[in-house]
C-alpha cells in the first residue's frame, strides 16, 4: 500500500474520521484501542490500526465492535500495526486468515510479527543474556519466565507482513497515513499522521499514553541506547504540531506536545533518582538499582523494572557520567548535571 497506484495518495484523499473500538486486556496495561478507517463506500477498503491481544475474549470484543459499525472481521482489507507487542499485533494473524487482509508493520518489527522462528530464538537468547547481565535473582527470574511462558499465546498466529519504513505513505481506508518512526519503547514503533477535520492528528501506539509512561528498556530488548532513542521520539512528537493524537491505550490526547514534555520531565527526574542511588549506595548492578527505584516487583514488572533502570544507567554511561565494571555501575563524577543529558525545557 505504498507508492503510486490508481487511487493512491497522489490522486487526493479524504479527511480521516476516527472510529475507535476499545478492547479489554487483562494481560498487559488494559483498554487497548483499535481504530477503524474507511469501509464507507462500495469501492473503499476497510482498515484497522492495531489489532488487540490474541485471546478468545478480545477477538469476541473486536467482532462485536466491528459489528456496531456494520462490519465483520472478514471485511477487513488492511491492518496497520504501530509495533510488534502482543497487545497491539496479537490478532493480526487471525484477521488475515479470515479476510486475506494486508498487514503492514515497520521493517524493524516485521520478523517478530511474522513469527519467524530464528527471530524469536534470537530474542529469547537476548532475554536470557539481559536477565544475567542485570543480575535478576533466581526466584524472580523463575517467576518472570513462568509469566512470559504462560502468555506466549497472546502473540497470536504468524502473519504474512508487508513492511514499511519512516517517511512512507500508506493509503488505508480512503485516508493517507504518513509513517513517523518513533522508536524507544519498541524498535519499530511508529506513529501515523493524517489529515483530520481540524488539522493534523496521528495514531501513536505506545509512544505517548494519557495515564502511564511507556516502559523503556524492558519492553523491547533489541533497542540500542533505548532512552536516547525514546527521548528523540518524544522530541519528534513535541515538534510535530499535531493537535490531537490517538494512543494505543485509553483516550485521545488533546495536547500531545505537552504530554511528550511531561514524559521527558518524568525521565529527567528518574535519571536524578538513579544518580542518587549510585551516590548513596556506591556501585550497583541493575537489579539493585531497580529495587531502590521500585521496591518489590512481580509479573511483567520483573522485566520492566530492571529494564527501566538499565535504560537510565545506559544513558548515563553513554554520557560518561557512570562507568560499568562487570555488571556494576559506578558514578564517575558526583557533580552530575542531569539537565544537560536531556533536551532543554
Amino acid at each position: 500500500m505504498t507508492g503510486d497506484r490508481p487511487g493512491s495518495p497522489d490522486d487526493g484523499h479524504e479527511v480521516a474520521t476516527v472510529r475507535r473500538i476499545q478492547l479489554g486486556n487483562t494481560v498487559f496495561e488494559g483498554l487497548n484501542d483499535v481504530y477503524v478507517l474507511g469501509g464507507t463506500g462500495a469501492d473503499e477498503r476497510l482498515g484497522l490500526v492495531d489489532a488487540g491481544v490474541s485471546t478468545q475474549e478480545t477477538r469476541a470484543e473486536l467482532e462485536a465492535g466491528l459489528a456496531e459499525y456494520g462490519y465483520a472481521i472478514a471485511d477487513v482489507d488492511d491492518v496497520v500495526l504501530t509495533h510488534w507487542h502482543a497487545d497491539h499485533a496479537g490478532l493480526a494473524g487471525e484477521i488475515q486468515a479470515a479476510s486475506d487482509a494486508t498487514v503492514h508493520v515497520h521493517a524493524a518489527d516485521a520478523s517478530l510479527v511474522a513469527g519467524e522462528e530464528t527471530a524469536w530464538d534470537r530474542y529469547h537468547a537476548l532475554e536470557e543474556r539481559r536477565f544475567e547481565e542485570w543480575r535478576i535473582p533466581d526466584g524472580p527470574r523463575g517467576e518472570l519466565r513462568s509469566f512470559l511462558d504462560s502468555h506466549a499465546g497472546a502473540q497470536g498466529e504468524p502473519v504474512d507482513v508487508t513492511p514499511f519504513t519512516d517517511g512512507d505513505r500508506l493509503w488505508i481506508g480512503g485516508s493517507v497515513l504518513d509513517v513517523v518512526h518513533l522508536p524507544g519503547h519498541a524498535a519499530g514503533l511508529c506513529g501515523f499522521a493524517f489529515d483530520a477535520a481540524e488539522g493534523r492528528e496521528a495514531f501513536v501506539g505506545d509512544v505517548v499514553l494519557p495515564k502511564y509512561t511507556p516502559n523503556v528498556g524492558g519492553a523491547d530488548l533489541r533497542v540500542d541506547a533505548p532512552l536516547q532513542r525514546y527521548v528523540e521520539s518524544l522530541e519528534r512528537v513535541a515538534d510535530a504540531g499535531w493537535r490531537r493524537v490517538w494512543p494505543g491505550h485509553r483516550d485521545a490526547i488533546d495536547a500531545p506536545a505537552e504530554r511528550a514534555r511531561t514524559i521527558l520531565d518524568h525521565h529527567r527526574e528518574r535519571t536524578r533518582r538513579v544518580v542518587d542511588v549510585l551516590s548513596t549506595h556506591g556501585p550497583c548492578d541493575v537489579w539493585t538499582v531497580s529495587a531502590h527505584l521500585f521496591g518489590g516487583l512481580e509479573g511483567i514488572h520483573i522485566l520492566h523494572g530492571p529494564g527501566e533502570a538499565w535504560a537510565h544507567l545506559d544513558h548515563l554511561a553513554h554520557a560518561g557520567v557512570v562507568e560499568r565494571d562487570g555488571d556494576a555501575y559506578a558514578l564517575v563524577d558526583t557533580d552530575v548535571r542531569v539537565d544537560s543529558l536531556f533536551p532543554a525545557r
Side-chain angles (χ1 to χ4, degrees):
M1 289 300 156
T2 60
D4 295 335
R5 66 175 179 83
S8 75
D10 296 327
D11 300 323
H13 59 276
E14 299 293 329
V15 171
T17 299
V18 176
R19 294 174 289 176
R20 181 179 65 171
I21 300 171
Q22 280 202 307
L23 306 176
N25 176 2
T26 60
V27 179
F28 297 102
E29 193 221 327
L31 295 175
N32 270 92
D33 292 321
V34 172
Y35 298 102
V36 183
L37 291 173
T40 56
D43 298 325
E44 191 166 298
R45 296 166 67 88
L46 177 67
L48 302 181
V49 177
D50 281 343
V53 69
S54 180
T55 67
Q56 291 182 348
E57 296 80 4
T58 304
R59 175 168 176 152
E61 290 177 346
L62 179 61
E63 289 174 332
L66 286 170
E68 289 186 9
Y69 292 122
Y71 312 123
I73 284 180
D75 298 323
V76 176
D77 296 295
D78 295 282
V79 180
V80 182
L81 299 176
T82 58
H83 59 300
W84 67 271
H85 289 158
D87 51 335
H88 298 264
L91 282 173
E94 293 182 44
I95 295 170
Q96 188 176 65
S99 66
D100 199 29
T102 301
V103 177
H104 311 260
V105 66
H106 189 273
D109 288 355
S111 61
L112 293 178
V113 175
E116 293 180 10
E117 186 174 347
T118 54
W120 279 104
D121 286 346
R122 286 194 300 270
Y123 194 85
H124 294 318
L126 180 57
E127 284 180 332
E128 294 304 324
R129 189 161 68 250
R130 288 281 189 257
F131 299 167
E132 186 66 26
E133 291 172 355
W134 296 348
R135 288 290 181 251
I136 301 178
D138 289 344
R141 194 185 305 193
E143 180 184 342
L144 174 60
R145 177 53 61 200
S146 295
F147 177 91
L148 295 174
D149 289 346
S150 68
H151 292 90
Q155 196 66 48
E157 299 297 322
V159 182
D160 180 11
V161 298
T162 298
F164 55 72
T165 59
D166 185 57
D168 280 351
R169 309 193 85 191
L170 309 179
W171 180 243
I172 305 295
S175 298
V176 170
L177 303 184
D178 290 317
V179 176
V180 183
H181 189 205
L182 298 166
H185 176 70
L189 205 160
C190 287
F192 307 102
F194 59 91
D195 290 331
E198 299 178 21
R200 291 286 278 177
E201 302 185 4
F203 303 111
V204 294
D206 289 355
V207 178
V208 291
L209 298 173
K211 184 173 181 180
Y212 297 104
T213 54
N215 181 259
V216 181
D220 189 343
L221 303 178
R222 303 170 303 152
V223 183
D224 291 328
L227 184 55
Q228 181 59 37
R229 298 288 81 73
Y230 187 50
V231 165
E232 291 165 355
S233 293
L234 289 173
E235 286 188 279
R236 197 170 185 187
V237 171
D239 293 340
W242 299 327
R243 68 171 305 276
R244 177 184 292 120
V245 298
W246 301 86
H249 302 268
R250 303 182 186 274
D251 296 325
I253 300 171
D254 289 328
E258 178 181 339
R259 180 59 181 156
R261 293 187 182 102
T262 297
I263 297 173
L264 279 169
D265 285 342
H266 163 85
H267 283 290
R268 189 181 285 108
E269 180 57 34
R270 177 153 289 167
T271 299
R272 287 195 179 93
R273 291 185 61 200
V274 171
V275 170
D276 288 344
V277 169
L278 296 180
S279 178
T280 302
H281 300 281
C284 297
D285 59 36
V286 171
W287 180 257
T288 301
V289 173
S290 173
H292 285 296
L293 292 177
F294 307 115
L297 299 169
E298 60 183 22
I300 192 62
H301 300 293
I302 297 171
L303 171 60
H304 286 176
E308 190 86 20
W310 172 74
H312 286 77
L313 289 165
D314 175 76
H315 194 58
L316 290 164
H318 276 93
V321 173
V322 306
E323 60 183 6
R324 178 180 171 181
D325 183 7
D327 295 323
Y329 293 79
L331 284 174
V332 174
D333 185 350
T334 56
D335 183 21
V336 181
R337 299 179 180 178
V338 170
D339 284 344
S340 69
L341 308 179
F342 291 86
R345 287 183 175 86

